[in-house]
């Protein structure tokens, strides 16, 4: 250890001090010159002089001792740099650390108000430089510590917050630049009163906030999660309120740094790469901009525009709001006669209450918190509907139509525009202002079952796209109304043509064959090619719509089910569907599978060929239904007798025969005997020999009658229609 006399200009005394180097403490008889360092006991941190970035100025600072890249975590003389290598740090008898320049002037000093007998300054392995009475290792009794004077870095064990007794704040201040550690214009503070939260400020303007501490985390910071690297704590008592992190393993190096633009970055040292990794930096986006949507506005980064009013609130100045100037916020649609409040719940600490206007609300897509807002009673009904609307919107990404526009397009849902009844309510024809024709399905009011079907329809159809499936254009969910808007199919539905004595003449065989093939392709898509693997469950002539060119479009997905990846069948206690099209295994055992749709497709084909409904089919010679009749004709070698008289079968007998044959394969009693849709499409399209069909399921009316099922919801059951409902309790 060297003893070097140094001359302190500006003070009249000449002192002889020892250099403190290597060791972790300095006492009043020691000093540190530029070039000397002291190191914490385990070598984790080093105190000494350095020049940041490209700067040639010298600063006293603390950096990591075991890291190859010099990384400074604390700086003493941030505001007054030294411009040469003559800086000296020493500890006075009063227990004050002073940094002197060449002329012996104090450019930086620690402070203390407590008298002290034998002071020492010690650099701890946490990176904290503490001034204390020699021998007293209680951190509580320190005279001064660097951890209470943070710069831009929050180290583990360091507190971000306030000492309520002394009024001292511990907060981060960004550097001006990487070359200049003097105080920049952004800070990161913990608000010590009210609902404690962390604010990033530019001078007095709030840039970002963390959301209040809710007992588990800061509610607006989903990125703050339990993790293997550090634990965090939030302490609020009479003396102190602070946020602090502790390392799980003190061998790791971890720091939180506020950058010049205000962003808070977490860094972890990666030994292998010998570099700092930006670790789980809290992602900020446009919605994080403080109060972007004004009072009572709510920000959703996935919406466009991103600002919305809270439910029950409307834009304060709608002209500005529509121009995307949201700063004036939103006001209540119906004023409250007393105070307003809101509370937030979470797994954390019960609830928080707010009074008055709400500001800076955003939607996060994880760690949901319920927000309850006190509303005028008159608003409540409307709110429930609008939250239903929000829900659908958020889930489905479906274009929303204004109710006024839909009403206008349908002549206010006039009877003249009514096309018929769909699965869950009336269907109207409409025309938009741009001339586009639409079909509008309106959910019957107060229909609980209808609501489920409505949702089911949307859920399935919104994700499906095929030229043989009807296309959903959007929805309208307002006031009491829930409405779906589809492409319009001008040629009505298949039943309109094939079962009507006059209309059936309009459909020649090539048209019918085109329809059969279109339905087959649509079904193949549903069963196999779509992402969802959908079973339609209510395939019937009424649900096959026809477009301008008489192309078939499968519609009405109110009863559809999607299967999981490898699932091919499922079970239900409630049998739904339509009389005449339901497969035996489904009617009898509630077992539905892709093969139930294949059965329905077979029935449809026979209906298209014969022009007769399976349901209610009568024949003078026997008591079989259409399926039995077709099978009988087939077995007797005269299948073409099934074809409707209107079809000029002679020209197309091969296609007609093929269709009947495939149809009979599809309606076989046992699901495993029926082809799947890819097979059915193939069989319709090629000339390969086909297997002999086994007897169909439900080939007499009695079979059908004995089966238990509930009729389709689309047709209100009338007395002479067979509709036995067997709904088992769950
Ligand atoms: C030392 O610091 C004092 C006070 O900041 C200043 O007036 C003086 O010029 C400095 N001396 C040198 C040599 O930098
Ligand atoms: C890590 O170091 C701090 C301060 O030096 C100490 O308080 C803490 O107990 C240590 N944690 C572990 C897990 O060793
Ligand atoms: C802490 O980290 C060091 C270095 O990665 C490792 O060797 C040690 O096993 C760790 N200790 C614990 C308790 O996980
Ligand atoms: C802070 O000051 C710098 C220049 O010193 C400026 O570029 C920046 O826009 C200011 N504000 C923020 C938030 O960075
Ligand atoms: C509504 O706008 C006016 C200015 O047009 C403003 O004074 C008032 O504070 C705004 N109300 C809210 C709730 O933001
Ligand atoms: C539409 O019908 C509703 C209810 O029948 C009625 O209240 C409303 O005034 C009508 N609107 C128009 C524009 O005809
Ligand atoms: C359809 O059936 C054929 C013949 O049984 C079979 O080879 C094919 O794998 C089936 N396709 C699907 C998607 O199940
Ligand atoms: C067979 C039939 O009725 N076709 C009609 C389908 O729709 C278009 C457009 O409305 C009509 O022009 C066709 O006559």
């Amino acid at each position: 250890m060297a003893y070097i006399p140094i001359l302190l200009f500006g003070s009249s005394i000449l002192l002889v001090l020892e250099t403190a180097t290597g060791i972790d403490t300095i006492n009043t008889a020691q000093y540190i010159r530029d070039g000397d360092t002291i190191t914490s006991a385990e070598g984790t941190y080093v105190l000494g002089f350095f020049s940041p970035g490209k700067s040639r100025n010298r600063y006293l600072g603390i950096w990591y001792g075991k890291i190859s890249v010099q990384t400074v975590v604390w700086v003493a003389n941030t505001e007054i740099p030294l411009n040469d290598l003559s800086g000296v740090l020493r500890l006075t008898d009063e227990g004050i650390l002073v940094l002197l320049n060449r002329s012996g002037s104090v450019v930086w000093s620690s402070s203390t108000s407590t008298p002290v007998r034998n002071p020492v300054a010690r650099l701890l392995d946490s990176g904290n430089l503490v001034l204390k009475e020699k021998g007293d290792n209680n951190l509580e009794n320190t005279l001064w510590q660097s951890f209470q004077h943070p710069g831009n870095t929050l180290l583990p064990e360091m507190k971000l917050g306030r000492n309520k007794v002394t009024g001292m704040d511990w907060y981060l201040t960004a550097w001006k630049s990487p070359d200049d550690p003097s105080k920049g214009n952004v800070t990161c503070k913990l608000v010590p009163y009210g609902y404690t939260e962390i604010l990033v400020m530019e001078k007095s303007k709030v840039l970002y906030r963390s959301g209040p501490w809710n007992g588990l985390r800061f509610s607006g910071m989903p990125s703050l999660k339990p993790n293997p690297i550090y634990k965090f704590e939030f302490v609020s008592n009479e003396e102190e309120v602070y946020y602090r992190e502790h390392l799980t393993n003190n061998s790791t190096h971890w720091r939180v740094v506020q950058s010049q633009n205000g962003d808070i970055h977490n860094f972890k040292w990666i030994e292998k790469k010998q570099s700092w990794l930006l670790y789980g930096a809290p992602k900020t986006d446009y919605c994080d901009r403080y109060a972007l949507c004004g009072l009572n506005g709510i920000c959703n980064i996935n919406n466009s525009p991103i600002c919305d009013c809270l439910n029950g609130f409307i834009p304060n100045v709608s002209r500005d709001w529509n121009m995307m100037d949201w700063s004036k916020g939103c006001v209540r649609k119906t004023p409250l006669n007393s105070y307003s409040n809101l509370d937030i719940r979470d797994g954390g600490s019960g609830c928080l209450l707010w009074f008055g206007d709400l500001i800076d609300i955003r939607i996060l897509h994880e760690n949901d918190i319920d927000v309850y807002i006190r509303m005028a009673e008159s608003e409540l009904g409307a709110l429930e509907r609008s939250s239903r609307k929000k829900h659908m919107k958020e889930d489905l990404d479906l274009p929303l139509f204004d109710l006024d526009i839909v009403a206008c397009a349908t002549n206010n849902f006039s009877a003249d525009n009514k096309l018929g009844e769909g699965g869950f309510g009336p269907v109207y024809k409409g025309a938009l202002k741009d001339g586009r024709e639409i079909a509008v399905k309106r959910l019957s009011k107060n229909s609980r079952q209808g609501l489920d079907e409505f949702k089911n329809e949307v859920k399935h159809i919104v994700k499906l796209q095929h030229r043989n499936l009807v296309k959903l254009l959007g929805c309208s969910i307002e006031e009491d109304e829930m409405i779906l808007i589809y492409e319009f199919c001008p040629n009505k539905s298949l039943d309109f043509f094939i079962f009507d004595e006059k209309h059936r003449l309009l459909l020649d065989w090539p048209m019918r064959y085109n329809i059969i093939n279109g339905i087959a392709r649509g079904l193949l898509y549903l069963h196999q090619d779509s992402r969802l693997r959908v079973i339609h469950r209510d395939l019937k002539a009424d649900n096959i719509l026809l477009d301008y060119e008489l192309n078939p479009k499968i519609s009405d997905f109110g009863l559809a089910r999607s299967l999981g990846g490898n699932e091919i069948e499922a079970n239900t206690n409630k049998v739904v569907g339509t009389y005449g099209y339901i497969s035996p295994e489904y009617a009898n055992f509630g077992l539905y599978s892709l093969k139930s749709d294949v059965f329905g497709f077979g029935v449809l084909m026979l209906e298209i060929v014969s022009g007769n409904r399976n349901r209610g089919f009568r024949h003078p010679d026997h008591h079989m239904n259409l399926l039995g009749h077709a099978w009988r004709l087939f077995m007797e070698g005269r299948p073409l007798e099934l074809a409707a008289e209107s079809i000029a079968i002679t020209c197309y007998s091969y296609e007609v025969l093929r269709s009947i044959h495939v149809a009979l394969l599809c309606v076989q009693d046992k699901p495993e005997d029926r082809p799947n849709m890819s097979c059915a499409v193939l069989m319709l399209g090629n000339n390969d020999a086909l297997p002999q069909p086994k007897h169909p399921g439900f080939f007499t009316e009695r079979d059908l009658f004995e089966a238990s099922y509930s009729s389709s919801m689309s047709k209100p059951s009338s007395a002479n229609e067979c509709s036995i409902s067997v709904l088992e309790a769950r």
Side-chain angles (χ1 to χ4, degrees), residues 497-548:
F497 286 101
I498 57 176
F499 302 139
D500 182 278
E501 256 168 63
K502 260 193 248 153
H503 299 143
R504 65 166 59 126
L505 301 175
L506 297 169
L507 282 196
D508 59 16
W509 176 253
M511 288 172 181
R512 291 183 195 221
Y513 197 53
N514 177 54
I515 290 169
I516 289 175
N517 281 297
I519 299 169
R521 282 190 299 267
L523 264 185
L524 174 61
Y525 169 80
L526 282 183
H527 285 187
Q528 241 168 276
D529 301 336
S530 75
R531 283 182 295 155
L532 296 177
R533 292 166 56 80
V534 174
I535 308 180
H536 186 284
R537 299 211 303 171
D538 199 15
L539 216 54
K540 56 178 169 181
D542 324 38
N543 286 342
I544 306 297
L545 306 182
L546 299 172
D547 74 359
Y548 284 90

Side-chain angles (χ1 to χ4, degrees), residues 102-323:
R102 178 193 287 277
S103 36
S105 298
V106 174
V107 297
W108 173 85
S109 69
S110 68
S111 56
T112 181
S113 49
T114 326
V116 59
R117 271 179 293 128
N118 196 358
V120 289
R122 182 168 185 205
L123 181 61
L124 305 180
D125 269 312
S126 58
N128 197 1
L129 177 65
V130 298
L131 271 171
K132 58 191 188 89
E133 193 80 57
K134 189 177 180 187
D136 184 349
N137 289 328
N138 188 345
L139 263 184
E140 300 289 308
N141 300 338
T142 54
L143 307 169
W144 178 92
Q145 49 180 304
S146 64
F147 268 18
Q148 295 192 341
H149 303 272
N152 68 347
T153 305
L154 187 77
L155 289 176
E157 307 299 325
M158 209 161 157
K159 296 170 180 174
L160 191 73
R162 169 180 284 190
N163 181 326
K164 293 182 187 171
V165 179
T166 62
M168 183 188 266
D169 278 322
W170 310 305
Y171 61 91
L172 303 183
T173 307
W175 288 14
K176 268 219 176 79
S177 80
D179 306 328
D180 181 359
S182 66
K183 290 187 189 323
N185 49 10
V186 286
T187 55
C188 175
K189 289 186 177 173
L190 187 113
V191 185
Y193 40 79
Y195 297 124
T196 319
E197 60 179 331
I198 294 173
L199 296 184
V200 170
M201 324 246 297
E202 180 180 4
K203 306 239 166 64
S204 59
K205 184 177 147 210
V206 178
L207 295 181
Y208 308 121
R209 47 184 213 110
S210 67
W213 179 262
N214 64 17
L216 291 177
R217 62 191 166 81
F218 292 101
S219 49
M221 284 176 64
S223 54
L224 191 64
K225 281 186 201 147
N227 66 76
I229 298 173
Y230 64 92
K231 295 190 166 58
F232 50 84
E233 66 173 334
F234 176 80
V235 171
S236 179
N237 55 37
E238 288 191 350
E239 281 127 46
E240 291 179 313
V241 47
Y242 60 84
Y243 168 82
R244 177 162 70 166
E245 296 174 356
H246 303 279
L247 285 179
T248 319
N249 181 342
N250 277 336
S251 309
T252 46
H253 298 298
W254 172 259
R255 65 199 166 100
V256 178
V257 179
Q258 182 171 38
S259 72
Q260 271 160 268
N261 62 10
D263 289 349
I264 305 294
H265 295 306
N266 299 333
F267 289 103
K268 183 180 188 299
W269 178 254
I270 306 297
E271 194 64 39
K272 262 201 198 126
K273 295 193 172 162
Q274 290 292 298
S275 67
W276 288 101
L277 174 77
L278 189 58
Y279 181 96
K283 282 191 209 83
T284 55
D285 57 35
Y286 207 53
C287 272
D288 284 319
R289 293 191 9 182
Y290 181 72
L292 182 69
C293 300
L295 295 178
N296 308 312
I298 182 162
C299 194
N300 184 347
I301 199 69
N302 293 339
N303 278 1
S304 176
I306 58 178
C307 285
D308 214 337
C309 288
L310 286 171
N311 282 342
F313 289 74
I314 49 173
N316 182 5
V317 182
S318 47
R319 192 164 22 94
D320 292 1
W321 185 269
N322 294 338
M323 302 293 286

